[in-house]
Amino acid sequence: MLRRLAAGAALVAALALAGCTPPGPTESSTPVATPTSEPPSEEDLLVEARAAWDAYRDRLDDFGADPSTATREGLLEVATPEVADALLVNFEDAAERRLHTEGTRETTAFEVSDFSSGPASLQVSVCVDLSGERYIGDEGTDLTPPDRPNQRGSLVDLVRAHQGDNYLIAGEAELALTDSQNPCD
């Protein structure tokens, strides 16, 4: 799921806590359908998916600002167990290295790219502006790589939570800038 990186690359991996890119979807990420009397419209699904994405990003921003506060329970409120566990490893590593983030990311584009599974699961493409966020090391040193792009496009898989009607993040895969699904301009 997560590869152990060489010592020099480990710092960069810990810094990725700001992106906290969880693993891609796995076979065990099984959506649970919630029966309803009337299927939700695509517009309703878009609103629900965006609310789930915003809650996820807010949680990552909070834990990124102080990685020592990250908890599995807090991550399970916005992500599947597989994703929560992978993220927790990143936050624990960042806390151990005394790294954190300052500032915030802004979602500049959000599009549902696959409604085919209906309300049980969705795939969205997002564009996130990274320019307002910095990686900060011990003693306040800015460790943000100078060549980090200002935008990141990703495909994000969402599944219905086992309890409730909200969505959880089930996987996120970064898109190349040249990918036709990348919503970043």
Side-chain angles (χ1 to χ4, degrees):
M1 188 178 269
L2 292 175
R3 291 185 216 140
R4 288 286 171 197
L5 303 172
L11 177 60
V12 174
L15 294 175
L17 77 92
C20 292
T21 303
T26 63
E27 293 300 319
S28 63
S29 297
T30 307
V32 176
T34 305
T36 61
S37 57
E38 186 176 313
S41 69
E42 287 185 8
E43 184 177 326
D44 291 340
L45 293 176
L46 178 62
V47 168
E48 291 176 35
R50 180 59 192 252
W53 172 255
D54 289 343
Y56 172 75
R57 287 298 334 147
D58 289 346
R59 184 65 44 95
L60 296 186
D61 287 345
D62 291 345
F63 288 160
D66 185 358
S68 67
T69 64
T71 64
R72 186 173 194 269
E73 294 76 24
L75 292 166
L76 286 172
E77 292 174 6
V78 295
T80 61
E82 297 86 359
V83 171
D85 291 342
L87 291 170
L88 188 58
V89 168
N90 286 342
F91 285 120
E92 288 171 343
D93 187 46
E96 195 174 294
R97 295 172 184 272
R98 296 173 26 184
L99 303 171
H100 68 278
T101 60
E102 289 183 1
T104 59
R105 295 172 171 221
E106 181 184 342
T107 301
T108 59
F110 186 90
E111 306 164 359
V112 175
S113 53
D114 186 1
F115 279 111
S116 65
S117 296
S121 65
L122 299 172
Q123 186 173 69
V124 298
S125 51
V126 298
C127 182
V128 177
D129 181 348
L130 308 171
S131 63
E133 181 181 72
R134 312 306 297 161
Y135 306 141
I136 306 299
D138 200 14
E139 300 182 28
T141 307
D142 186 344
L143 301 173
T144 308
D147 59 345
R148 179 185 75 175
N150 285 330
Q151 295 182 352
R152 175 184 293 159
S154 298
L155 278 180
V156 179
D157 293 311
L158 297 101
V159 296
R160 285 279 184 201
H162 291 286
Q163 296 175 337
D165 290 330
N166 63 311
Y167 283 104
L168 299 174
I169 304 303
E172 183 177 353
E174 188 172 346
L175 294 168
L177 290 175
T178 57
D179 191 312
S180 63
Q181 290 183 296
N182 192 331
C184 300
D185 294 325

